[in-house]
């Protein structure tokens, strides 16, 4: 897999906005970001500029307005970040991560059942192959 650039937490928040809907004008990105973050427009413009320079978003100029869109898929980025997290904290091993998740008392029975179903489906799929 081609290594995607690292993006900061703030940059990721902008990416989530663009992944949810695109293309979006600069004003639309600012409006949506300011609903959940206490950022001024200059900060958001800086984040858009950084993301563009990293090659993860691009834009189309329509009149005097820039319309931004993601260049990378959210699934692709999350896959890379998940693998990075697994390597960094669990030496690439999934079982210790699952054990840490299961030891958390805040996990609901519904979440546990969903994890069980996912594991069962994965085992069945790999067993049929």
């Amino acid at each position: 897999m081609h290594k995607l650039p690292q993006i900061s937490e703030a940059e990721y928040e902008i990416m989530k906005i663009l992944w949810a809907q695109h293309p979006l004008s600069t004003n639309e990105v600012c409006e949506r970001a300011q609903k959940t973050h206490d950022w001024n427009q200059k900060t958001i413009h800086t984040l858009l500029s950084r993301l563009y320079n990293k090659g993860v978003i691009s834009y189309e100029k329509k009149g005097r307005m820039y319309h931004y869109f993601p260049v990378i898929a959210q699934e692709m980025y999350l896959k890379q970040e998940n693998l990075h997290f697994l390597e960094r904290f669990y030496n690439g091993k999934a079982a210790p991560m699952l054990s840490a998740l299961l030891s958390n008392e805040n996990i609901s029975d519904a979440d546990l059942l969903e994890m069980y179903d996912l594991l069962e489906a994965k085992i069945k799929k790999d067993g049929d192959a």
Side-chain angles (χ1 to χ4, degrees):
M1 171 174 39
H2 172 67
K3 182 140 171 64
L4 302 171
Q6 290 295 121
I7 59 176
S8 70
E9 282 188 49
E11 292 166 345
Y12 184 70
E13 292 300 313
I14 299 298
M15 288 303 297
K16 288 193 308 189
I17 291 168
L18 291 171
W19 279 320
Q21 184 179 358
H22 57 272
L24 291 175
S25 71
T26 307
N27 290 342
E28 290 170 322
V29 173
C30 287
E31 181 182 299
R32 291 171 192 211
Q34 289 173 331
K35 285 181 182 177
T36 55
H37 298 84
D38 190 25
W39 296 335
N40 63 39
Q41 286 192 351
K42 187 172 174 27
T43 299
I44 297 166
H45 287 227
T46 299
L47 293 170
L48 286 167
S49 179
R50 285 182 191 166
L51 289 166
Y52 175 77
N53 290 334
K54 290 179 179 185
V56 295
I57 66 170
S58 192
Y59 63 85
E60 193 175 68
K61 190 170 182 184
K62 296 180 184 174
R64 294 175 45 193
M65 190 64 69
Y66 292 93
H67 287 78
Y68 292 91
F69 56 91
V71 174
I72 61 168
Q74 184 175 20
E75 298 77 23
M76 192 174 175
Y77 188 76
L78 290 177
K79 182 176 182 180
Q80 174 180 289
E81 286 301 299
N82 287 335
L83 290 173
H84 176 72
F85 177 83
L86 198 60
E87 281 296 324
R88 182 172 177 207
F89 294 105
Y90 297 99
N91 296 321
K93 306 272 188 218
M97 182 184 73
L98 183 59
S99 176
L101 280 172
L102 293 173
S103 68
N104 183 344
E105 297 97 27
N106 296 329
I107 294 181
S108 69
D109 288 346
D111 281 341
L112 289 170
L113 286 171
E114 187 175 354
M115 281 191 266
Y116 178 81
D117 291 343
L118 290 168
L119 288 168
E120 189 175 51
K122 175 70 173 159
I123 291 168
K124 184 175 182 179
K125 178 183 154 213
D126 289 351
D128 291 343

